């Protein structure tokens, strides 16, 4: 019995030095494990006179229970300490303190995108999603840019190891959308595009476009002009004139560059339009028969127009932003200076 008391005293001393889980494990082995001190004592049971066996047994059980509960307490202590450590090492933000910071707002690109989507929805277009990682086929072949076509050089492309590409233009979704809906079709598809550009004040490697397609019987350039004028008049909140100049894109025939009458000086000539009264805005054209065919649409029956509006540029005009890199910078101070008209 004295031995039991001794073991308890030793155990308490040992336990007071334990300060982690591993220590607790070895403590258990030393006392309650297969060759632990308490287990050894139990083995001595056979040498105890019969009349004392009962009380010895009970004492040993008590000792075991006592050690077990001491260990449990230690374990709880560790768990508590772990939480306390985390609390001590975490910087808490008090969400109830009123902020002296400016409220956040939507990004200029998002604001413009939503505005454009609303306008096109009101004109009966659907809004489609494009993918940022595209097959080479969809990005090039399906829009009439076969392998080795020089037009591929116009778009310095990020190729992935698996042969796919980061889409260089929203036109990459044309084929999928034609196959999905067939003709007639009126859709826009905004999205992020990527090109390996040298960065400067007006070039970015990541930029936003919004592609539009209208395919139906008897669609002509007149429809293209009408929809573009309507859209731009809505964006700028005043009458905007457009003019078309010839432009080459393999997926349209004829292809155009669409200019808008300068919204800043109403075409009179100013710094922004370099005194010409016009600003180059958006390439467009009548969808090439090959493109319709690859999309499963019969070019004998249907025609259509398409446009690819780089709306980083439109956003810069709409918000008076002079640096294209600002749009991707996440620089709240600079972005919040963008004037929302
Ligand atoms: N995908 C062209 C580009 O990013 C832009 C474009 C031009 C789109 C003419 C069109 C179009 O739909 O008709 O360079």
């Amino acid at each position: 019995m004295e031995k039991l008391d001794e073991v308890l005293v030793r155990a308490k001393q040992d336990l007071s030095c334990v300060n982690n889980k591993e220590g607790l494990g070895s403590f258990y082995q030393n006392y309650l494990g297969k060759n632990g001190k308490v287990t050894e004592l139990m083995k001595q049971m056979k040498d105890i006179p019969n009349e004392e066996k009962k009380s010895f047994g009970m004492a040993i059980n008590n000792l075991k229970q006592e050690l077990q509960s001491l260990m449990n307490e230690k374990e709880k202590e560790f768990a508590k300490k772990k939480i306390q450590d985390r609390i001590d090492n975490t910087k808490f933000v008090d969400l109830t303190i009123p902020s002296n910071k400016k409220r956040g707002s939507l990004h200029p690109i998002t604001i413009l995108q939503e505005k454009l989507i609303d306008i096109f929805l009101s004109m009966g277009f659907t809004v489609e999603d494009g993918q940022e990682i595209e097959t080479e086929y969809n990005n090039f072949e399906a829009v009439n840019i076969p392998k080795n076509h020089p037009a591929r050089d116009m778009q310095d492309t990020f190729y992935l190891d698996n042969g796919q590409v980061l889409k260089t233009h929203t036109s990459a979704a044309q084929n999928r959308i034609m196959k999905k809906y067939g003709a007639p079709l009126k859709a826009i598809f905004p999205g992020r595009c990527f090109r390996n550009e040298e960065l400067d004040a007006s070039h970015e490697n990541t930029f936003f476009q919004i592609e539009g397609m209208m395919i139906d019987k008897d669609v002509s350039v007149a429809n293209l002009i009408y929809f573009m004028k309507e859209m731009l008049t809505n964006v700028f909140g005043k009458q905007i004139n457009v003019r078309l100049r010839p432009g080459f894109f393999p997926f349209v025939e004829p292809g155009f560059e669409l200019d808008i009458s300068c919204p800043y000086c109403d075409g009179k000539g100013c710094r922004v339009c370099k005194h010409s009264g016009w600003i180059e805005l958006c390439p467009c054209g009548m969808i090439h028969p090959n493109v319709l065919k690859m999309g499963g649409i019969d070019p004998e029956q249907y025609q259509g127009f398409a446009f690819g509006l780089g709306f980083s540029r439109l956003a810069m005009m709409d918000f008076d932003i002079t640096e294209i890199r600002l749009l991707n910078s996440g620089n709240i101070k600079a972005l919040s200076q963008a004037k929302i008209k």
Side-chain angles (χ1 to χ4, degrees):
M1 288 295 202
E2 267 164 35
K3 268 197 178 164
L4 297 191
D5 290 339
E6 254 171 49
V7 168
L8 183 59
V9 174
R10 278 287 299 281
K12 280 183 177 167
Q13 277 171 1
D14 285 358
L15 202 57
S16 68
C17 304
V18 168
N19 49 20
N20 55 29
K21 272 206 144 166
E22 291 74 47
L24 210 57
S26 16
F27 176 84
Y28 178 86
Q29 289 305 330
N30 285 343
Y31 286 91
L32 301 170
K34 224 161 76 190
N35 301 313
K37 294 192 171 69
V38 178
T39 321
E40 291 299 331
L41 285 172
M42 279 173 85
K43 289 180 191 157
Q44 292 173 17
M45 185 72 116
K46 57 181 188 323
D47 309 324
I48 304 273
N50 273 351
E51 59 278 16
E52 286 173 27
K53 270 203 164 77
K54 191 172 170 198
S55 54
F56 185 74
M58 274 166 68
I60 278 216
N61 267 342
N62 287 344
L63 175 61
K64 271 172 85 176
Q65 271 169 17
E66 170 114 32
L67 293 188
Q68 196 60 60
S69 76
L70 287 173
M71 280 181 65
N72 289 348
E73 257 165 48
K74 253 303 191 231
E75 220 161 57
K76 273 188 207 150
E77 216 175 87
F78 291 158
K80 250 192 194 162
K81 186 164 177 309
K82 203 169 160 191
I83 294 172
Q84 193 57 46
D85 281 353
R86 275 185 68 180
I87 293 174
D88 291 346
N89 294 323
T90 306
K91 281 194 184 145
F92 281 96
V93 177
D94 183 348
L95 298 173
T96 63
I97 296 178
S99 164
N100 56 2
K101 300 254 162 60
K102 268 198 169 170
R103 284 263 208 100
S105 73
L106 292 177
H107 192 282
I109 289 281
T110 310
I111 298 174
L112 180 64
Q113 177 168 321
E114 288 184 356
K115 198 160 148 184
L116 291 173
I117 286 177
D118 277 351
I119 295 169
F120 279 107
L121 281 176
S122 76
M123 298 194 290
F125 283 71
T126 59
V127 183
E128 299 296 323
D129 231 358
Q131 5 195 104
E132 291 181 349
I133 295 178
E134 263 296 0
T135 58
E136 219 185 323
Y137 175 82
N138 277 339
N139 198 79
F140 293 121
E141 271 109 274
V143 285
N144 213 22
I145 313 178
K147 278 207 165 58
N148 307 321
H149 191 289
R152 286 209 184 187
D153 292 342
M154 285 156 51
Q155 305 187 353
D156 203 345
T157 309
F158 291 111
Y159 283 87
L160 306 183
D161 287 344
N162 65 6
Q164 295 191 315
V165 301
L166 295 187
K167 80 162 183 277
T168 58
H169 52 179
T170 40
S171 311
Q174 285 194 3
N175 188 264
R176 187 176 298 114
I177 289 168
M178 281 187 287
K179 283 180 180 154
K180 186 168 167 194
Y181 294 106
L185 163 70
K186 258 159 97 186
I188 54 161
F189 24 116
R192 217 153 43 142
C193 306
F194 308 88
R195 286 185 208 174
N196 189 8
E197 299 271 3
E198 286 291 340
L199 305 189
D200 64 29
S202 55
H203 290 91
E204 247 295 11
N205 56 21
T206 303
F207 53 95
F208 293 83
Q209 288 186 338
I210 187 164
E211 187 93 4
M213 283 181 111
M214 174 178 175
I215 301 172
D216 208 332
K217 291 187 169 148
D218 302 325
V219 172
S220 73
V221 178
N223 299 96
L224 167 64
I225 294 175
Y226 168 79
F227 278 104
M228 296 311 276
K229 252 176 115 164
E230 249 336 88
M231 180 272 285
L232 291 162
T233 299
N234 266 296
V235 169
F236 289 103
K238 58 174 157 183
Q239 194 64 41
I240 297 285
N241 283 325
V242 301
R243 72 173 185 192
L244 298 179
R245 286 177 293 117
F248 172 72
F249 302 93
F251 29 93
V252 279
E253 182 58 42
F256 307 107
E257 291 287 353
L258 180 137
D259 298 338
I260 60 172
S261 55
C262 178
Y264 298 100
C265 61
D266 293 328
K268 290 189 201 77
C270 67
R271 197 180 44 83
V272 180
C273 60
K274 298 193 186 101
H275 304 283
S276 71
W278 295 95
I279 296 179
E280 181 178 327
L281 187 77
C282 159
C284 52
M286 300 304 294
I287 304 171
H288 196 289
N290 287 350
V291 173
L292 289 171
K293 253 187 255 167
M294 282 184 276
I297 292 173
D298 179 3
E300 300 292 327
Q301 285 198 49
Y302 289 97
Q303 308 80 44
F305 67 76
F307 61 87
L309 176 65
F311 65 102
S312 296
R313 185 185 292 174
L314 195 55
M316 288 167 74
M317 281 165 58
D318 204 14
F319 294 101
D320 283 344
I321 298 171
T322 45
E323 261 273 346
I324 196 167
R325 279 170 293 191
L326 267 185
L327 289 174
N328 288 351
S329 67
N331 181 337
I332 292 176
K333 203 165 160 206
L335 285 172
S336 62
Q337 285 169 8
K339 287 190 213 122
I340 298 176
K341 288 180 189 148

